[in-house]
Amino acid sequence: MSIRQTTIGTDRVGMAVAAMILTDLTLSIADAIIKITISDMPLSQFIFSRSCVTVPLLIFMMKWRLPRVSLSPARPGWATVRSSLLLSSLLIYYASLSRLDFSIAAAVYYTIPLFIALFSALWVREPVGLQGWLGVALGFVGVLLMLKPQAGDISIHTLMPLAAAILYALAMVLTRTRTRAENPFVLALTFNLIAIIVAGGASLAAIIAGSDGGQSLMIGEWVPMGWSQWGLMVLLSITMLIGSVGTAVAYQWAPSAIISTCDFSYLAFAVLWGVLLFSERLDGASMLGIGLIALAGIIVIRH
């Protein structure tokens, strides 16, 4: 069954492009901070703590600036599905940052436009055509150049950014087609409430299990947090708030194909932070891979 394109509202392409670039800059800085601090606590605790800070901020802003807007989404089912896909994508991507170079993880993650094009073709019935399939093929050649998989040497970590990209693309297609009429702040609130429920449940299970439950990147024993950790959570909550609202606004105000092009600014920022903060040095194959992924996205989007 196909999803029909929603025609609610008028596109505001210029503002949507600006919102997407600002969002990417903010998220790239936040993700660089997360890569630096990712080993300090389990991801479930990190996500739970950050969302616990974000939710009161969201409610305060909505009551202050948007008192007439309901806190509940008009289509809670689709908003919940979208939020669950985004949460799964972020968890997988964050987990990959501890195993891969920042620039490599970001480049593979930014196969997102390719998957958006494919999912739009399947659900919105937008034709892919020869040019579109060429872009998809170039994109995945770029992924292979970035990850350089050898026979029998493909680990789950190298595939994690790709899985995160698929889930994110699904969420963005839903944003454009099923939740376009929702207020971006309501979508952000729904996402963070889902995050509290899921990550909080995982953290509670880890606390109950204690040391017998083991420790992993995703789930582990609760780590005591001081003022510096809570200050970091406030900072990352603000960046996440900008990211959640900015992404929703961008994809609501302009077609997915246009915004996906601008979304490549995250990749440029990630390469910059990788060089400046993590002393990453990309070889020729990796640079070619990044170029092919960006070119593939542009080809698909122009098509």
Side-chain angles (χ1 to χ4, degrees), residues 5-56:
Q5 186 85 8
T6 307
T7 58
I8 299 173
T10 303
D11 286 345
R12 287 172 276 182
V13 177
M15 293 188 67
V17 167
M20 194 71 256
I21 293 175
L22 176 61
T23 295
D24 280 343
L25 173 61
T26 303
L27 291 179
S28 68
I29 293 173
D31 289 347
I33 295 173
I34 291 169
K35 179 174 174 60
I36 295 171
T37 61
I38 198 70
S39 60
D40 292 346
M41 66 181 66
L43 272 174
S44 57
Q45 179 181 348
F46 170 78
I47 294 293
F48 175 77
S49 301
R50 186 178 66 177
S51 291
C52 282
V53 174
T54 305
V55 165

Side-chain angles (χ1 to χ4, degrees), residues 41 46 49-50 53 225 229-237:
M41 66 181 66
F46 170 78
S49 301
R50 186 178 66 177
V53 174
M225 296 171 59
Q229 286 89 351
W230 281 112
L232 181 63
M233 287 300 160
V234 172
L235 173 63
L236 291 175
S237 294

